[in-house]
Amino acid sequence: MTTPSSGDLRFPDAVVHFGVFFQGVNHSTIWSDPRSGSQMAHSTFVQLVRTAERGLFDAFFLGEGLRLREQRGRIHDLDVVGRPDALTELATLAGLTTHIGLVATQNTTYNDPADLARRLASLDVLSGGRAAWNVVTTDNAWTGENFRRGGHLDHADRYERAERFVRTAQRVWDSWDGERYTPVEVRDGFFDVEFTPTVPRSPQQHPVLFQAGDSPAGRDFATRTADVVFSRHGTDHADALAFADDIRRRTVAAGRPEGDVLVLPGTQIVVADNEAEVEEKARWVLEQQVTPATALSLVGQVWGEDLSHLDPDGPLPAHDPVISVVDGTRGAHRTGADAVALAQRWRAEAEEGKFSLRELVLHHSSERGFAGTASQLADDLTHWVRTGASDGFNITPYLVPSGLDDVVDQLVPALQDRGAYPTEYVGTTLREHLGLRAPLTRR
């Protein structure tokens, strides 16, 4: 844990913002634990969102997988896979909550901009101004096959299409002047839209825009269009600070004030009752996430073959992978990597660290988020936001739906004791919770 000096604090009065990230597809949710609820049942979503709202979380963030993960052409049954449609689920939760923001992951590749704008505006109006859109792109043919669009979008075009998609949606939201609608017409090479909107603006005017691109093009897209960047830089402070400072520089270059785009990295938080339990509990979580079968499947993804016959406590395969490039059917992580080079690097690491196959996977998975007592974690997270490494955190619970209980019951009060977390919601809209300015097109 790092205890900052007063000279380190660039934002000495900053408070921590929390969101909860309910992932669409993953192996980090411990679905096999007896305490784990159904990943599809409405009651699971209700319990989790109510816990988050009790803890004054700013947002409930739903991921979405548009195709079930596969390995070697077969549905992969060791991950959590699939979710109900995000907008449908969030609409039901809007009526069961009063303040928490509702963030829907929606794809710009497989939707129509006017139709999606209308559906997002509907959620925003029904929730009283609590809707948000996590803007994502997809260009791979494997996902596209579910939409009869396999391979139709060049990788280089995905952010250009996404930006024009967002601009079209913003025109739909801006078409209501308080008395009447102005028909929207867009013809720009990507879209041919003629649309008369049917939904007025909400109290926050537009849904809040999240974006998670990490490439230079993705960061530029985010700082031109988004209100919040959801990043993967949620473990190492120096790495997170470099990312946040880069976002600030790009935001200014885009003609916006430096703090106009918030940074909320995704992370995992393990709260232990005392210092003696921290390492033991963190290790238990990790070993439940990376079971022997999961370790074999993750290595098998790189080798391009079924390795379930191997001993997970034995060595990595001695032969090279049978594929040259890691495919994307198990998610974006490692997609496109040179399989042979990665295997050689892993074998060298295993030899140096004397790791078995599973131990190597555990080693690569161990740098995931934070673990500590509530007091230690409160100091650490306060340090992050007040030194500018982030504006808060989007927490992925390792257990669903009970995985936020320790955070809400122990960590939130410890942050409040430090003046680093709100004691009540500051308004009724998500834009107010996050301290955001008016939408870009409404300033």
Side-chain angles (χ1 to χ4, degrees), residues 269-353:
I269 295 180
V270 178
V271 184
D273 290 335
N274 55 65
E275 289 189 38
E277 292 182 3
V278 172
E279 184 175 349
E280 179 183 356
K281 188 170 182 179
R283 185 68 182 182
W284 177 85
V285 170
L286 179 62
E287 290 183 350
Q288 293 300 306
Q289 292 170 326
V290 183
T291 64
T294 294
L296 288 169
S297 74
L298 289 171
V299 173
Q301 180 193 14
V302 174
W303 259 257
E305 57 183 309
D306 182 2
L307 300 179
S308 60
H309 61 285
L310 295 183
D311 180 1
D313 296 318
L316 289 165
H319 63 280
D320 283 340
V322 299
I323 56 174
S324 58
V325 176
V326 180
D327 68 32
T329 61
R330 284 283 302 279
H333 189 49
R334 300 193 186 95
T335 296
D338 182 325
V340 174
L342 182 57
Q344 290 173 346
R345 186 164 70 248
W346 279 4
R347 281 198 292 257
E349 290 178 11
E351 182 177 356
E352 181 180 356

Side-chain angles (χ1 to χ4, degrees), residues 25 101-102 130 157 177 186 275 286 319-320 334 383:
V25 286
L102 305 167
R130 295 187 283 132
D157 291 337
D177 67 5
V186 176
E275 289 189 38
L286 179 62
H319 63 280
D320 283 340
R334 300 193 186 95
H383 175 206

Side-chain angles (χ1 to χ4, degrees), residues 60-138:
F60 180 80
F61 192 118
L62 270 187
E64 189 163 65
L66 296 179
R67 181 166 177 174
L68 298 183
R69 287 183 173 174
E70 298 178 8
Q71 191 148 349
R72 300 177 66 246
R74 300 180 63 183
I75 299 297
H76 182 64
D77 62 0
L78 295 175
D79 284 8
V80 169
V81 291
R83 284 282 182 268
D85 173 72
L87 282 169
T88 304
E89 186 63 53
L90 292 174
T92 69
L93 299 179
L96 300 173
T97 54
T98 58
H99 286 80
I100 194 167
L102 305 167
V103 188
T105 299
Q106 295 290 293
N107 200 295
T108 60
T109 306
Y110 306 118
N111 277 295
D112 173 85
D115 176 63
L116 181 58
R118 179 180 182 276
R119 289 186 284 132
L120 287 163
S122 298
L123 178 63
D124 208 21
V125 169
L126 290 172
S127 64
R130 295 187 283 132
W133 172 19
N134 177 35
V135 182
V136 296
T137 68
T138 301

